[in-house]
């Protein structure tokens, strides 16, 4: 049981390049989330999904796209990276069940856009 | 507006001393409240959560938190800190009825003085 995993752990991009971050969870959770973490700002929600085939915008969705083709995977895409997207990205999954409604986080992806 | 405030950006305490980290929230619905800890370079780990019932909740690593509805607070405490407690701590608030609305505070960085 690996929990929530993220690929890659580190990445450096040039402005305008594209990339996809992969999040995988093996806990059969319905809900999945992508956050970005910037110094002094806590975690901000980018996009989330409440089930396979569904996605929704969070607090800071601009410049990002997501897909949830399989229940266990949630992909975050940057079509044209900008320096403002330099951040640490965290994926989380959540079990909305009555007694265990808790988010479980992956280890993070540190992205630098030059 | 829904928000979580952690008024202390950085706190330093001596090893063996007691600790209290403050968290205040503004939330329209009945809140679920969480404390997470993040060690350097790591993801977020759940320390404890409050859903209902007893307002004093016990968590892992000897932490506890008390929900005070009248003060809209959910402060985290530990009677005696250890050097390994040095980390960043995040308070979060959510509602079971909403998949997206888990809001994080900006975090408090805890340093331990030998």
């Amino acid at each position: 049981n690996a929990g929530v995993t993220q690929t890659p752990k580190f990445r450096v991009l040039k402005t305008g390049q594209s990339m996809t971050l992969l999040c995988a969870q093996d806990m059969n959770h319905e809900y999945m989330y992508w956050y970005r973490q910037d110094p002094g700002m806590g975690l901000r929600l980018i996009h989330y999904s409440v089930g396979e085939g569904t996605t929704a915008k969070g607090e800071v969705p601009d410049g990002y796209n997501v897909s949830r083709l399989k229940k266990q995977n949630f992909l975050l895409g940057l079509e044209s990276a900008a320096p403002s997207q330099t951040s640490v990205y965290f994926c989380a999954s959540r079990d909305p069940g009555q007694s265990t409604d808790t988010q479980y986080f992956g280890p993070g992806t540190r992205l630098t856009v030059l | 507006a829904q928000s979580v405030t952690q008024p202390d950006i950085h706190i330093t305490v001596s090893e063996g001393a007691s600790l209290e980290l403050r968290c205040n929230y503004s939330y329209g619905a009945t809140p679920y409240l969480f404390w997470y800890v993040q060690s350097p370079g790591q993801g977020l780990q759940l320390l404890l959560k409050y859903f209902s019932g007893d307002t004093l909740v016990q968590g892992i690593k000897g932490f506890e938190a008390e929900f005070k509805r009248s003060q809209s607070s959910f402060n985290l405490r530990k009677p005696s800190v250890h050097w390994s407690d040095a980390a960043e701590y995040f308070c979060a608030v959510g509602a079971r009825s909403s998949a997206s609305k888990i809001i994080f505070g900006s975090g408090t960085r805890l340093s331990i003085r030998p």
Side-chain angles (χ1 to χ4, degrees), chain B residues 59-73:
Chain B
I60 62 170
K61 304 185 181 186
F63 285 92
E64 66 177 27
E66 186 171 13
F67 171 55
K68 292 186 177 180
R69 185 185 299 274
S70 62
Q71 299 178 18
S72 297
S73 70

Side-chain angles (χ1 to χ4, degrees), chain B:
Chain B
Q2 297 163 343
S3 65
V4 177
T5 301
Q6 294 180 246
D8 303 305
I9 296 173
H10 183 203
I11 285 181
T12 300
V13 299
S14 298
E15 190 168 15
S18 63
L19 171 71
E20 182 169 30
L21 301 182
R22 296 182 291 166
C23 173
N24 293 95
Y25 68 90
S26 172
Y27 204 79
T30 301
Y32 285 0
L33 294 155
F34 307 85
W35 273 100
Y36 286 87
V37 60
Q38 183 181 31
S39 298
Q42 304 296 313
L44 277 73
Q45 181 184 20
L46 181 70
L47 280 177
L48 50 78
K49 61 189 177 187
Y50 171 79
F51 284 178
S52 64
D54 193 348
T55 57
L56 183 64
V57 294
Q58 303 295 321
I60 62 170
K61 304 185 181 186
F63 285 92
E64 66 177 27
E66 186 171 13
F67 171 55
K68 292 186 177 180
R69 185 185 299 274
S70 62
Q71 299 178 18
S72 297
S73 70
F74 189 57
N75 294 348
L76 181 71
R77 300 195 294 250
K78 186 169 185 178
S80 176
V81 298
H82 186 262
W83 63 267
S84 60
D85 294 324
E88 187 137 21
Y89 292 80
F90 292 93
C91 181
V93 62
R96 186 168 169 227
S97 60
S98 170
S100 68
K101 293 190 184 298
I102 295 181
I103 302 168
F104 286 81
S106 56
T108 297
R109 185 161 61 93
L110 174 64
S111 298
I112 306 297
R113 191 183 302 117

